[in-house]
Amino acid sequence: PYYQNSLLLMVEAQQDLSPRSLLPCHRLDRCTSGLTICCTNPKVARLLQVQMDIKAVKKMYLARVKGKFPACSSECNKVFENNLPQEACWSWCDSNTCVVMDAPIDILDIQKGLRCVKGSGKASKSKFKYIEYDVKSDTSLISCCPLTGRQHQLRVHLQALGFPIHNDNLYGGMVKNTDCDQMKMDAIESIINSHNDDSKIKREKGITQETAKDAREVCLCCKGSIGIQKCFNASQLLESGHAICLHALKYRINFINNKKSNSQQPLAMIELSVSPPLWADLNQESTELLNSWLEI
């Protein structure tokens, strides 16, 4: 049951692939939407992972954050002055017209998976670019480019800057409570129904009906609503914080021959992208702005 509702197994079922044949090339937070790169060929997956290890991949995210995000250096001086953690520092990049955040990230609560800006953490750097501001909701649409790959990096850096991501209750973002209870009950019912419907499960070789029956007897999730609530937190049950306004929009992968240290010219390049989320209504000007930023 633990793997049954995972992204990989659902895609394998939809594409009629063998169980555990899909290989993820990177990680994406469960509550983050957008692009996830997977392969069915181990050699191709390893090739992509190598490019990510040598930082030959440019990543672009969209985020909706609380408040009016600064759009120029003078606004940054007013907003960030004396408001950042001691270990964090920011700078304004004129060529990209964006904020560069440099702040180490460490674990704050290992049980909850909570991270924070802390001097003992690993070096982390991100870029953030203002796109537009919505007066009605008092939120800004921004583009984000992580230059390092720490867990929850964009979420932690934006919280430290004072602009938490909308709906991200783990890092101080606002959460809409509309229909939360109903969404929780629907999620629980969905889990119960999936456990009761063997016809939709692609069984791995070697797993007999008796083995599956024994597993159900010790599985808390198979004991109904109370057991499920003991196994999953509020975010996992879609009660709150399950879907934040952070979206992986585009990855640009440059294939570099790492053996030739004197040449960093890419041998090839591929660009993978998905559609923007519903909460990011991009006009033509905003789209062109995003595309030009990835070129730099």
Side-chain angles (χ1 to χ4, degrees), residues 214-231:
D214 292 339
R216 291 180 186 278
E217 290 180 357
V218 297
C219 174
L220 283 176
C221 292
C222 299
K223 300 184 185 302
S225 176
I226 296 177
I228 290 173
Q229 291 184 69
K230 289 181 179 179
C231 295

Side-chain angles (χ1 to χ4, degrees), residues 239-259:
E239 186 177 4
S240 63
H242 66 280
I244 65 177
C245 291
L246 181 63
H247 183 83
L249 182 68
K250 184 180 297 185
Y251 277 29
R252 177 173 292 177
I253 306 170
N254 293 307
F255 292 90
I256 297 174
N257 187 353
N258 199 35
K259 295 181 180 180

